[in-house]
Amino acid sequence: MTRNAKKRIVIASLYLGTDRLENELIKSIESACERAVQNNNDSFEVHVLLDYTRGSRGVNKSSRTMLLPLLEKYRDKVQVYLYHTPDLRGFWKKFLPERMNEIVGLNHMKIYLADNDFIISGANLSDSYFTNRQDRYIQFRSCPEMSNYLCDLVCAVSRFSFHLQCNNTTVYPEGAPHPYDGSEDVQVFKDYAEDTISKLNSFWKESRASTQLNSNDSDVDTWLYPLIQMGSFKIKDDEVVTERLFTKSETCDRILLASGYFNLTSNYVDYVINKSNAVFRILTASPEVS
């Protein structure tokens, strides 16, 4: 997908690994950028969103250093964003070491998009996920509307994320509340982020409503809904829809749940046991792998 991209490459992940397969992915992005340069394709763009703390982990080699050659060679086409949770600040930011600081909050979106094709996955861009793990990889082809939305989503998050520079420093967007510098209350940042994402979703809802009025969906048998969960910003689409799936199901419904670590919240447990009429089938990891 990335090697053959002609319009855009959009990636959102917790982090990018540093092994052979990840290097091959970087080379495929570089190939697409080089072809765009040769074809004078000025509209070609690459957006990469990673988590700041996880993406910065490593003294000599990290997600950031992996992407620096792309930034340096194609700085007019490649943008790398590092989201920093607003909850890691003050005492915790100063004293929590690597790995431990990641429990405070993370960017956990997984979007792998090229042109109008994309993969939704639970896997990060890491050698271990590519080789010895089972995970979900669902590819959607020729979905321009959803691809545009996902691209807009990543770019919206970039408005309150650090922008990586080719010398491995970062620049924060001017005018946006800082996630941790302490000069502003944490709620100012959260309100800004909530407003940014809410405006994006409102725009797309209005756009979709307008499209529905002018189209015939009688032949459509599948609907795809993006669900955003950003609890810190009071955006809980995934939580709300999951609750409704559990509580509104009929006795003839079957609900399939799969997770590498099956740790339902107490609310979800209550919905499943006491408030749902569906039959549940659960797939999770064996205790021997813990």
Side-chain angles (χ1 to χ4, degrees):
M1 285 170 53
T2 53
R3 185 177 293 110
N4 297 320
K6 297 178 176 61
K7 177 182 178 183
R8 61 188 169 192
I9 296 171
V10 181
I11 291 174
S13 184
L14 174 62
Y15 69 101
L16 172 70
T18 58
D19 293 318
R20 178 182 63 84
L21 292 176
E22 296 93 310
N23 273 292
E24 290 184 13
L25 176 60
I26 294 293
K27 290 179 181 177
S28 71
I29 298 174
E30 184 177 5
S31 296
C33 290
E34 186 61 32
R35 186 175 60 252
V37 171
Q38 293 173 355
N39 295 335
N40 295 319
N41 183 3
D42 295 335
S43 63
F44 182 80
E45 55 187 4
V46 178
H47 300 277
V48 180
L49 170 65
L50 304 175
D51 182 74
Y52 188 101
T53 53
R54 181 60 182 89
S56 301
R57 186 202 294 178
V59 178
N60 298 316
K61 209 170 185 181
S62 66
S63 303
R64 291 167 61 159
T65 61
M66 291 284 288
L67 293 162
L68 292 180
L70 280 177
L71 277 173
E72 185 173 5
K73 190 173 182 180
Y74 305 104
R75 61 184 66 187
D76 60 331
K77 297 186 179 301
V78 178
Q79 300 289 329
V80 177
Y81 316 119
L82 301 168
Y83 168 80
H84 192 293
T85 174
D87 296 319
L88 181 63
R89 51 171 47 213
F91 174 87
W92 296 114
K93 181 165 180 63
K94 187 175 182 179
F95 292 106
L96 279 180
E98 284 188 355
R99 296 179 183 268
M100 289 294 293
N101 59 12
E102 294 166 22
I103 67 175
V104 177
L106 292 167
N107 163 64
H108 216 259
M109 289 192 292
K110 314 293 195 305
I111 299 169
Y112 309 129
L113 184 151
D115 294 340
N116 292 326
D117 301 339
F118 59 90
I119 294 172
I120 297 295
S121 176
N124 295 301
L125 295 174
S126 173
D127 184 84
S128 60
Y129 287 90
F130 295 149
T131 55
N132 64 358
R133 297 196 187 187
Q134 293 185 31
D135 218 304
R136 61 189 182 276
Y137 294 88
I138 306 173
Q139 183 182 26
F140 298 86
R141 298 176 179 174
S142 301
C143 296
E145 190 175 31
M146 185 61 70
S147 296
N148 290 340
Y149 171 78
L150 294 174
C151 182
D152 284 355
L153 175 62
V154 169
C155 291
V157 175
S158 77
R159 292 177 56 188
F160 47 87
S161 298
F162 290 88
H163 292 210
L164 184 64
Q165 307 299 297
C166 57
N167 61 355
N168 203 18
T169 61
T170 59
V171 173
Y172 194 72
E174 186 176 350
H178 200 278
Y180 64 80
D181 71 355
S183 62
E184 293 178 307
D185 184 78
V186 64
Q187 196 58 46
V188 176
F189 176 92
K190 292 183 177 182
D191 289 344
Y192 179 85
E194 178 188 1
D195 183 64
T196 300
I197 301 301
S198 296
K199 284 180 177 177
L200 170 72
N201 285 339
S202 295
F203 168 81
W204 274 96
K205 287 176 182 178
E206 292 173 4
S207 174
R208 182 56 192 158
S210 175
T211 303
Q212 284 182 291
L213 290 174
N214 298 299
S215 64
N216 183 4
D217 294 323
S218 59
D219 296 329
V220 173
D221 63 359
T222 304
W223 288 89
L224 178 62
Y225 289 92
L227 302 176
I228 308 303
Q229 184 75 13
M230 298 179 177
S232 294
F233 312 144
K234 302 176 184 177
I235 298 172
K236 301 183 178 182
D237 297 349
D238 187 78
E239 184 178 336
V240 169
V241 171
T242 302
E243 175 188 340
R244 290 180 181 175
L245 284 174
F246 287 168
T247 57
K248 303 299 182 182
S249 299
E250 305 294 337
T251 54
C252 59
D253 292 334
R254 300 292 182 268
I255 294 180
L256 311 179
L257 300 178
S259 176
Y261 35 91
F262 195 74
N263 51 348
L264 292 184
T265 66
S266 57
N267 283 343
Y268 284 171
V269 171
D270 181 52
Y271 299 149
V272 171
I273 295 176
N274 300 315
K275 299 177 182 177
S276 180
N277 293 318
V279 172
F280 286 81
R281 294 182 179 179
I282 299 169
L283 174 64
T284 190
S286 166
E288 284 77 9
V289 304
S290 62

